[in-house]
Amino acid sequence: MVALSSTADVLGALSTAGKIDVLAYTLRRGPVFDGLEAAARRGAHVRVRLEGLPYGDPSGSFARENREIVEALARAGVRAELARTGPGGADKAPVHAKAIVADARVFLDDRNWGPEDLVVCDRDPADVAAVRGAMDGGVRAGGSPSFALEKRAALAREAELLSSASPDADVVVESESFGSGNPVYGALDALGKSGVNPRLLVSSRDANVRERRALARLARDGVRVRITRDTEKFAVVDARAWVGSANASPAFAHPDMIDWGLCTQDPAIVAAARDRAETRWNAAKPFRP
């Protein structure tokens, strides 16, 4: 019940849906923002929940931008709010997912609704209900076995896919940020030591000393690491794929971050992820410890 989609499909759904729920780390002004405003003005029930305390925002400019987006949507009739604000906000579940529910479909993006993003459409009622259930600030039990809406669970599913790889599997992983304190690191390290020689693409935007140390250890253990400027997140093992918004970095927040990840054998999704990985791998620079 999961199929390859697009941001254009999302815009089409926003133009006709009667009930729309949006969970997002941020939302830029552009076609999706305009589509949400238009939906509210034509009478659709539209809710939007953005992150109130974005990561790595010492000046507060990112949080201020999200607050301005929420205020602009509210003026159009959207029930818009920030996920964490005021005293004690840091103790609530942060939002990093990019999910839009339009009636009985949930559209999932690993980035922030750009025109060329890899978007999937999920029609599983349990997954739709899980996203809607998270709109009030926490993740409720539910969702299909292949789908996760919390970072730890999403990365666990990615690690399970990697751990199932055969000795001659073609394995490639991409993550915007990376760290050693998560199961994806362990699965990649085990594959490297076993001789599978998986490939790992990591964005140069988030590279820091701790991340580079983790990458250096993986490289010593047989993982082929390259640095890209892109920020997608997926793992491909032959004819199976994991796609999601969760970075393969440690999950420090309590409660857990609202993030998504799912495993699929849908040929179109697997092919799209594989094609992006190969294109990016060929353009990426080798990691230098």
Side-chain angles (χ1 to χ4, degrees):
M1 302 180 74
V2 178
L4 185 64
S5 189
S6 66
T7 302
D9 289 344
V10 173
L11 297 177
L14 294 181
S15 70
T16 60
K19 184 177 181 181
I20 299 167
D21 291 304
V22 180
L23 268 174
Y25 185 60
T26 189
L27 190 64
R28 307 296 186 192
R29 292 182 184 272
V32 172
F33 175 92
D34 295 343
L36 292 169
E37 280 194 326
R41 286 178 173 143
R42 66 173 169 78
H45 179 74
V46 184
R47 294 190 300 167
V48 173
R49 188 176 180 85
L50 303 183
E51 174 55 34
L53 297 172
Y55 173 76
D57 185 31
S59 69
S61 60
F62 198 164
R64 190 160 51 250
E65 183 177 339
N66 274 5
R67 185 168 61 252
E68 291 170 356
I69 290 291
V70 162
E71 291 169 353
L73 289 171
R75 287 194 293 271
V78 175
R79 183 180 160 192
E81 63 181 9
L82 295 174
R84 303 186 296 163
T85 57
D91 296 328
K92 298 177 182 177
V95 174
H96 191 254
K98 292 85 177 172
I100 296 178
V101 182
D103 290 338
R105 295 176 290 172
V106 57
F107 294 92
L108 301 160
D109 188 353
D110 70 335
R111 293 186 288 187
N112 290 295
W113 308 108
E116 304 301 324
D117 287 5
L118 195 157
V119 177
V120 299
C121 177
D122 186 350
R123 295 175 181 269
D124 191 307
D127 299 346
V128 172
V131 175
R132 282 212 159 106
M135 288 296 296
D136 60 6
V139 176
R140 299 174 183 169
S144 60
S146 64
F147 179 75
L149 197 54
E150 290 180 313
K151 179 168 182 172
R152 290 182 183 86
L155 295 184
R157 282 164 174 74
E158 184 178 6
E160 289 167 5
L161 173 67
L162 296 173
S163 298
S164 71
S166 63
D168 59 349
D170 185 6
V171 178
V172 60
V173 174
E174 181 172 352
S175 181
E176 180 178 2
S177 58
F178 197 84
S180 59
N182 68 82
V184 174
Y185 174 93
L188 278 171
D189 195 44
L191 288 175
K193 290 176 178 177
S194 70
V196 173
N197 300 126
R199 292 178 287 166
L200 172 63
L201 284 158
V202 175
S203 175
S204 59
R205 298 183 187 184
D206 281 358
N208 54 45
V209 172
R210 182 176 298 176
E211 179 172 301
R212 293 183 69 84
R213 286 174 180 165
L215 296 177
R217 289 193 294 270
L218 288 178
R220 286 196 299 268
D221 289 342
V223 178
R224 292 172 287 167
V225 183
R226 291 189 182 181
I227 303 299
T228 178
R229 293 185 60 82
D230 214 284
T231 59
E232 288 198 296
K233 307 153 194 76
F234 47 69
V236 184
V237 178
D238 292 334
R240 296 169 293 156
W242 175 95
V243 291
S245 63
N247 283 297
S249 53
F252 294 121
H254 300 281
D256 199 3
M257 180 179 288
I258 298 174
D259 238 339
W260 73 271
L262 64 82
C263 292
T264 180
Q265 297 184 61
D266 178 85
I269 297 175
V270 175
R274 173 72 70 182
D275 181 64
R276 287 166 180 256
E278 296 299 343
T279 299
R280 229 162 266 135
W281 181 263
N282 291 332
K285 296 181 179 180
F287 169 69
R288 304 294 184 191

